[in-house]
Amino acid sequence: MTEMENREPLLTVKGLKQYFKVSSTYTVHAVENVSFQIYPGETYGLVGESGSGKSTIGRSIIRLYDPTAGEIMFDGMKIGGKISRADSQKLRTQMQMIFQDPMASLNPRKKVRDIVGEGLDIHHMYSSSEEREEKIANILQKVGLAPEHASRYPHQFSGGQRQRVGIARALIVNPKLIIADECISALDVSIQAQVVNLMKDIQQETGTAYLFIAHDLSMVKYISDRIGVLHLGHLLETGTTAEIFEHPVHPYTKSLLSAIPEPNPIVEKQRIAESYDYKTSGIDYNKGTDHLVSGTHYVKCTDEEFQRWI
Ligand code: ADP
Ligand code: MG
């Protein structure tokens, strides 16, 4: 990973806090002091159970929220908080999002041509209608659909095909970063693998980076270069995929790993799912700091916990 460390990160999230004041007496701490980096062309897998703050982090990065505290840098530009109109315009092509539910995120009354072509229209990325049509046909082909699909409506597709439309829509403006928020969670397992493979192929071809958000580690392993484990708004552990899978340190990471079913039935029979309950764990996330385990592998815990776990 030294090669990576020598490069400038594409995205840096530093000490991000995102709080929501829901009433005069109650504030939700959705994201607490989260820091990570994504390098150009790599995939960062962000994993955590429902409610752990994954979507909030994604939304903060695409500037739907003003960070409560912390900094977000993209391609050398500070993007948390106020930015110029020109920078905001630039960001709208360079960062794209793919959502969990393509049915809900694709306009049912629009043909695929116009759903996929919307980014081209907004950013004036063609000089003739032929060029627009050609770009749409090319991108549909790239995601494994046919140019004829451009004339169909979202409901005429299967779930997996609809997600391909969602990917095409994100890709067409040539982004440097795609945030994929549980984009395969709603699909059948066999289709999940197809979509993940497609995303990998596209990355090879285009060099785009992914923030791949998921609630379990099974698919994340196949697509991620590095992984971050999120729980209750805290990033508990981060490292390369090998570091996380081969030497998990935090008990929560271990419990997530033990929950992955084994393809080998003999090994699966012996698999013991480790339970983890924050309330009874004796761990206080607010007291922990980042400890370097090895290489790029960090775990957030107290000194005492670090000595005990390592
Ligand atoms: P995840 O994507 O990991 O399921 P979210 O980021 O959606 O988690 O939510 C994290 C926490 O923040 C949850 O407790 C959620 O209820 C809360 N939350 C998210 N968005 C808002 C909001 N706009 N207002 C209030 N609370 C929110
Ligand atoms: Mg979410």
Side-chain angles (χ1 to χ4, degrees):
M1 283 295 127
T2 46
E3 183 204 340
M4 252 179 199
E5 283 159 5
N6 291 336
R7 290 195 286 159
E8 283 294 311
L10 176 66
L11 179 84
T12 301
V13 174
K14 211 163 121 191
L16 179 69
K17 290 186 186 180
Q18 201 72 68
Y19 294 177
F20 299 107
K21 195 171 162 57
V22 286
S23 74
S24 58
T25 52
Y26 191 62
T27 300
V28 178
H29 293 201
V31 177
E32 270 290 14
N33 245 323
V34 164
S35 303
F36 64 94
Q37 296 178 322
I38 303 182
Y39 288 86
E42 79 159 351
T43 300
Y44 190 84
L46 189 61
V47 177
E49 62 197 48
S50 175
S52 57
K54 307 181 295 295
S55 295
T56 302
I57 291 174
R59 291 196 198 110
S60 304
I61 296 168
I62 59 163
R63 299 175 39 78
L64 286 179
Y65 305 133
D66 226 358
T68 307
E71 220 175 71
I72 304 174
M73 303 276 297
F74 180 79
D75 215 9
M77 177 166 55
K78 198 167 172 248
I79 63 164
K82 278 211 159 33
I83 61 169
S84 73
R85 235 183 111 94
D87 284 347
S88 154
Q89 190 80 357
K90 188 172 136 196
L91 278 179
R92 285 208 197 117
T93 60
Q94 299 194 341
M95 287 200 296
Q96 289 289 311
M97 201 142 177
I98 310 172
F99 298 92
Q100 172 169 5
D101 182 358
M103 202 56 210
S105 61
L106 305 179
N107 187 333
R109 280 181 287 273
K110 276 192 171 175
K111 286 185 179 163
V112 161
R113 167 179 295 106
D114 295 318
I115 291 171
V116 172
E118 196 182 4
L120 296 179
D121 300 340
I122 294 172
H123 302 288
H124 315 290
M125 295 171 89
Y126 53 87
S127 49
S128 66
S129 56
E130 289 77 30
E131 192 187 344
R132 179 181 188 264
E133 195 66 10
E134 196 183 308
K135 283 191 168 178
I136 292 167
N138 280 344
I139 215 82
L140 288 178
Q141 225 143 24
K142 203 174 271 183
V143 300
L145 297 170
E148 303 86 83
H149 286 127
S151 306
R152 300 200 190 151
Y153 291 93
H155 73 264
Q156 295 174 289
F157 292 91
S158 68
Q161 284 176 321
R162 270 200 292 271
Q163 202 49 288
R164 287 169 195 267
V165 174
I167 294 170
R169 178 176 63 172
L171 267 186
I172 202 156
V173 292
N174 227 341
K176 290 185 180 170
L177 175 68
I178 296 180
I179 299 172
D181 191 355
E182 305 226 30
C183 73
I184 56 163
S185 304
L187 304 173
D188 288 347
V189 175
S190 59
I191 312 290
Q192 285 188 358
Q194 284 177 15
V195 173
V196 165
N197 284 330
L198 170 70
M199 289 175 69
K200 275 174 110 168
D201 291 346
I202 285 169
Q203 185 170 55
Q204 289 258 306
E205 204 183 319
T206 64
T208 186
Y210 292 123
L211 173 58
F212 189 87
I213 296 176
H215 61 256
D216 68 58
L217 274 162
S218 49
M219 274 296 154
V220 166
K221 182 178 183 178
Y222 296 102
I223 192 164
S224 304
D225 298 296
R226 292 185 302 120
I227 291 173
V229 177
L230 195 69
H231 192 216
L232 304 173
H234 295 263
L235 194 73
L236 300 182
E237 187 161 356
T238 187
T240 64
T241 302
E243 284 164 346
I244 296 292
F245 272 80
E246 285 158 29
H247 308 287
V249 173
H250 200 283
Y252 180 67
T253 311
K254 289 181 180 169
S255 83
L256 280 183
L257 284 164
S258 74
I260 304 175
E262 283 283 345
N264 178 340
I266 298 162
V267 185
E268 172 63 14
K269 233 179 172 171
Q270 291 160 352
R271 179 174 65 92
I272 300 164
E274 289 176 36
S275 65
Y276 177 86
D277 182 353
Y278 178 60
K279 285 198 200 80
T280 58
S281 67
I283 302 167
D284 185 348
Y285 292 168
N286 291 302
K287 283 192 182 149
T289 51
D290 283 344
H291 291 263
L292 180 62
V293 180
S294 69
T296 54
H297 187 183
Y298 286 86
V299 59
K300 186 184 174 190
C301 55
T302 62
D303 293 345
E304 188 193 303
E305 284 158 356
F306 189 66
Q307 293 310 322
R308 192 153 22 106
W309 297 341
I310 207 76

